[in-house]
């Protein structure tokens, strides 16, 4: 997403939400102006002034849109937050739309007691707590309480989906931006990145892009020196890429990170996502010798990496142009001509489908996930995934799955479940497909339960029979565990551990058994009050 005018993006969020309201009665300005019984009525011309930029957009105004449109609290504010923090917005641009008035001390104290205890916290709770704490000039909290808040928030981010994920993520960003939190955040990220059993690394590491503290940078560089695994390495590379583009890395750190990135990029044992991250970092650094490096990558059959190093994109320009045409054609079947000509939506889709930089593409995908157009793009990408696999284009398949990890729809779960469970499919593709399955909320019912049993049976088969080398067997176990854990089936994960303990399940090898015990044990140990309700 190009920076452009942040104000135009904010206005699009409001206009777009109204135009696609679930209730047809409030789609027109005249209907919206009535307030639909949820807000005070205004003249219809006032809606034009709001959406035309004639008056300042405030926190209360956005909340009015959420109430009148009957949207979850925070959905439009979260989309605006994503736009405001995308890396191409200069640091001088303030975070927009602070809540009115001073933080409520009683509300803040109540939320603190809950977060430091064992009561559940919603995404909205985290949003309010983070906004309150970071607006208080002097917060009298013990260091261990700050650590407990950050630790719990980081853990809940990785277990959350959709709006709840975004609200928790930006709560963590606000905490990390507080002067009390920089070193604590670095320490927590170090602990998370060094844990080989951790299920999600990206979310824990990615908040470090919002601090330039040397402790955080040291944690990331250390992961390049001695990667815990490819998942942790990819996460560190992603954040370092953002820091390079923000110009917050010292020259010495840039030089070392570049040298190590080139080594990882040339290592054929590294995963696609790790090499993709290394190539993105090298592109961001704008290495003087990038042309010769790209030539060598092409000889080594790493054309995708060469393309990223030179152009910042894994796919050829003509492929991306054709893809964009197909996406627009799919959008035209369900969206209005005005939508198709909307420059903000066009820039968001362009960043989502073309950027190899994970912060840029992730921000765009988060906006789409929170927007009415997200399901349409998600369904189109399932079709793209199928075609890429038929054509044997694994790079395109990886890129499609990166999008579907954000925009996966329940109605497409059969396709992704079959792909992930196919023993003939590339293990890395299967792992990413499992992630998409885990991120798609499926309505409760017989279909959901049957899918859970299928995933459980697949996990048992992998543990008992896999002959794949350790990195690939670990990815398959990790993928199954993620899908089941995110779907709330802790009972099925525990059942596999129980079967290993009793001897009813014999693992294919001691290595596989150790992998299963470690990864499934991570899920078993998630506290009940942190586990999401599905």
């Amino acid at each position: 997403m190009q920076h452009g005018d942040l104000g135009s993006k904010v206005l699009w969020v409001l206009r777009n939400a109204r135009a696609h309201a679930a209730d047809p009665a409030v789609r027109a300005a005249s209907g919206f102006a009535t307030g639909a019984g949820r807000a005070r009525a205004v003249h219809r011309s006032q809606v034009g002034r709001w959406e035309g930029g004639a008056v300042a957009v405030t926190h209360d105004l956005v909340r009015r849109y959420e109430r009148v449109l009957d949207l979850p609290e925070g959905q439009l504010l979260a989309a605006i937050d994503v736009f405001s923090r995308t890396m191409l917005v200069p640091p001088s641009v303030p975070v927009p739309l602070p809540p009115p008035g001073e933080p409520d001390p009683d509300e803040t104290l109540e939320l603190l007691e809950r977060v430091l205890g064992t009561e559940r916290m919603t995404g909205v709770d985290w949003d309010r707590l983070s906004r309150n704490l970071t607006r208080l000039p002097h917060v009298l909290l013990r260091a261990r309480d700050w650590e407990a808040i950050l630790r719990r928030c980081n853990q809940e981010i990785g277990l959350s989906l959709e709006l709840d994920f975004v609200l928790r993520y930006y709560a963590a960003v606000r905490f990390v931006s507080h002067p009390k939190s920089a070193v604590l955040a670095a320490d927590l990220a170090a602990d998370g990145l060094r844990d080989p059993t951790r299920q999600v690394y990206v979310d824990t590491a990615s908040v470090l892009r919002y601090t330039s503290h040397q402790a955080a940078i040291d944690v990331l560089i250390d992961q390049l020196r001695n990667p815990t695994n490819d998942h942790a390495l990819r996460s560190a590379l992603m954040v370092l890429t953002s820091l390079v583009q923000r110009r917050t890395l010292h020259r010495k750190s840039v030089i070392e990170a570049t040298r190590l990135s080139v080594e990882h990029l040339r290592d054929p044992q590294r995963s696609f996502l790790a090499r993709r991250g290394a190539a993105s970092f090298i592109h961001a650094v704008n290495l003087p010798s990038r042309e010769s490096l790209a030539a060598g990558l092409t000889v080594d059959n790493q054309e995708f990496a060469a393309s990223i190093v030179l152009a910042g994109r894994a796919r050829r320009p003509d492929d991306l142009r054709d893809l964009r045409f197909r996406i627009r054609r799919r959008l035209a079947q369900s969206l209005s001509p005005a939508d198709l000509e909307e420059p903000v939506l066009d820039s968001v889709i362009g960043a989502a489908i073309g950027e190899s930089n994970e912060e840029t593409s992730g921000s765009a995908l988060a906006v789409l996930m929170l927007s009415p157009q997200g399901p349409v793009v998600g369904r189109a990408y399932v079709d793209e995934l199928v075609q890429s696999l038929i054509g044997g284009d694994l790079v395109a398949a990886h890129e499609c799955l990166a999008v579907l990890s954000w925009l996966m729809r329940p109605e497409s779960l059969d396709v992704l479940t079959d792909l992930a469970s196919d023993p003939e499919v590339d293990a890395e593709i299967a792992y990413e497909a499992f992630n998409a399955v885990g991120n798609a909320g499926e309505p409760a019912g017989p279909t959901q339960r049957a899918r859970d049993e299928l995933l459980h049976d697949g996990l048992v088969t992998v543990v008992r029979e896999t002959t794949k080398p350790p990195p690939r067997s670990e990815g398959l176990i990790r993928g199954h565990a993620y899908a089941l854990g995110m779907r709330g089936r802790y009972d099925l994960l525990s059942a596999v551990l129980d079967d290993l303990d009793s001897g009813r399940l014999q693992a294919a090898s001691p290595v596989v058994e150790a992998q299963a015990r470690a990864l499934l044990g991570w899920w078993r140990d998630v506290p009940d009050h942190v586990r999401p309700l599905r």
Side-chain angles (χ1 to χ4, degrees):
M1 288 176 289
Q2 298 302 308
H3 169 226
D5 178 13
L6 180 59
S8 68
K9 294 178 172 68
V10 173
L11 297 177
W12 172 77
V13 169
L14 301 181
R15 189 171 62 248
N16 187 53
R18 176 180 60 77
H20 295 277
D23 181 1
V26 295
R27 291 176 189 166
S30 57
F32 184 82
T34 67
R38 304 184 188 98
R40 180 178 59 85
V42 298
H43 193 276
R44 63 175 297 173
S45 63
Q46 183 64 45
V47 179
R49 287 194 288 273
W50 287 335
E51 296 178 7
V55 297
V57 176
T58 64
H59 183 278
D60 283 348
L61 176 58
V62 181
R63 284 292 295 125
R64 175 195 172 94
Y65 270 73
E66 291 175 346
R67 286 193 298 271
V68 174
L69 300 176
D70 199 23
L71 295 172
E73 180 178 349
Q75 181 162 325
L76 302 184
L77 287 165
I80 291 169
D81 222 352
V82 176
F83 272 131
S84 74
R85 294 183 185 273
T86 185
M87 68 184 175
L88 296 184
V89 174
S92 58
V93 176
V95 176
L97 313 184
E102 296 298 317
D104 182 341
D106 292 335
E107 177 188 62
T108 305
L109 181 59
E110 183 208 346
L111 290 170
L112 279 172
E113 290 175 346
R114 288 170 59 188
V115 77
L116 294 173
T118 57
E119 290 187 61
R120 287 189 172 275
M121 292 281 286
T122 67
V124 171
D125 291 334
W126 280 109
D127 181 72
R128 290 175 178 169
L129 177 62
S130 63
R131 289 181 187 274
N132 288 356
L133 285 181
T134 53
R135 287 190 299 145
L136 290 170
H138 303 290
V139 182
L140 298 178
L141 278 178
R142 296 169 298 186
R144 67 172 182 247
D145 291 336
W146 271 108
E147 180 182 355
I149 292 168
L150 278 171
R151 186 180 298 277
R152 178 169 173 180
C153 189
N154 276 337
Q155 190 172 25
E156 290 193 23
I157 292 170
L159 299 172
S160 302
L161 298 174
E162 299 179 343
L163 175 59
D164 272 342
F165 164 80
V166 178
L167 291 173
R168 284 176 169 85
Y169 181 79
Y170 284 106
V173 169
R174 294 184 196 101
F175 291 138
V176 169
S177 302
H178 194 280
K180 283 180 173 287
S181 301
V183 175
L184 283 174
D187 290 343
L188 288 175
D191 290 345
L193 289 171
R194 292 183 189 128
D195 180 1
T197 71
R198 191 174 183 88
Q199 193 70 58
V200 181
Y201 294 94
V202 171
D203 304 327
T204 298
S206 65
V207 296
L208 296 185
R209 65 167 64 108
Y210 297 98
T211 177
S212 57
H213 199 287
Q214 189 59 44
I217 294 170
D218 290 344
V219 167
L220 299 169
I221 298 290
D222 183 63
Q223 194 56 221
L224 267 64
R225 297 188 192 112
N226 303 290
T228 302
N229 53 39
D230 282 359
H231 307 289
L233 173 61
R234 169 227 179 172
S235 301
L237 286 163
M238 178 190 70
V239 181
L240 287 167
T241 300
S242 296
L243 294 176
V244 163
Q245 294 187 302
R246 284 189 169 90
R247 302 182 185 278
T248 54
L249 275 188
H250 297 304
R251 184 171 182 272
K252 181 179 179 181
S253 296
V254 172
I255 291 172
E256 182 177 10
T258 302
R259 175 181 61 80
L260 293 167
S261 294
V262 171
E263 291 177 6
H264 292 307
L265 181 57
R266 286 174 167 162
D267 184 350
Q269 300 304 312
R270 290 293 172 203
S271 69
F272 173 88
L273 291 178
R275 286 179 288 142
R276 185 181 189 269
S280 293
F281 178 84
I282 294 165
H283 172 74
V285 171
N286 200 17
L287 195 66
S289 59
R290 61 186 179 278
E291 285 83 4
S292 60
L293 174 62
L297 292 169
T298 302
V299 171
D300 292 338
N301 294 319
Q302 290 201 64
E303 289 87 352
F304 83 93
S307 179
I308 293 173
V309 167
L310 292 175
R313 294 174 175 82
R315 300 177 68 179
R316 295 188 300 269
D318 54 339
D319 289 341
L320 288 174
R321 185 174 57 251
D322 293 344
L323 171 60
R324 197 160 185 165
F325 173 78
R326 291 192 297 272
I327 297 293
R328 285 180 62 85
R329 184 173 59 191
R330 183 66 178 262
L331 289 171
Q333 297 173 9
S334 56
L335 302 181
S336 69
D339 277 324
L340 296 176
E341 300 306 320
E342 170 57 58
V344 174
L345 177 60
D346 189 60
S347 69
V348 169
I349 292 175
I353 70 175
E355 287 283 348
S356 64
N357 179 288
E358 293 199 57
E359 182 182 1
T360 306
S361 61
S363 295
L365 288 165
V367 170
L368 283 174
M369 181 179 69
L370 297 169
S371 301
Q373 292 83 3
V376 182
V377 177
R379 286 190 289 270
Y381 258 88
V382 172
D383 295 341
E384 288 294 322
L385 173 63
V386 171
Q387 292 305 313
S388 66
L389 291 170
I390 291 173
D393 189 343
L394 291 186
V395 172
H398 280 293
E399 298 295 297
C400 288
L401 287 165
V403 172
L404 290 171
S405 70
W406 290 86
L407 303 180
M408 183 64 187
R409 304 300 302 166
E411 60 267 26
S412 302
L413 273 169
D414 286 349
V415 175
L416 270 292
T417 305
D418 290 347
L419 172 64
S421 304
D422 186 344
E424 301 301 318
V425 167
D426 175 82
E428 290 186 53
I429 292 288
Y431 167 74
E432 293 174 53
F434 279 123
N435 279 356
V437 170
N439 290 347
E442 185 172 18
T447 302
Q448 178 204 45
R449 291 190 292 273
R451 194 181 317 281
D452 291 341
E453 292 294 339
L454 178 66
L455 292 168
H456 167 266
D457 293 347
L459 173 58
V460 169
T461 299
V462 168
V463 172
R464 185 174 55 220
E465 300 178 6
T466 186
T467 57
K468 294 184 181 296
R472 300 300 180 251
S473 62
E474 191 264 2
L476 290 174
I477 295 170
R478 183 182 289 273
H480 279 89
Y482 182 84
L484 284 167
M486 293 301 287
R487 291 166 66 85
R489 296 310 304 265
Y490 296 85
D491 57 327
L492 296 179
L493 293 171
S494 294
V496 176
L497 286 171
D498 291 343
D499 287 346
L500 284 171
D501 289 340
S502 68
R504 289 189 298 269
L505 174 60
Q506 296 291 323
S509 70
V511 170
V512 170
E513 180 172 352
Q515 290 173 340
R517 288 187 180 279
L519 294 168
L520 305 188
W522 185 90
W523 284 99
R524 182 192 55 198
D525 294 341
V526 173
D528 287 341
H529 63 280
V530 173
R531 295 180 179 184
L533 298 174
R534 298 282 189 253

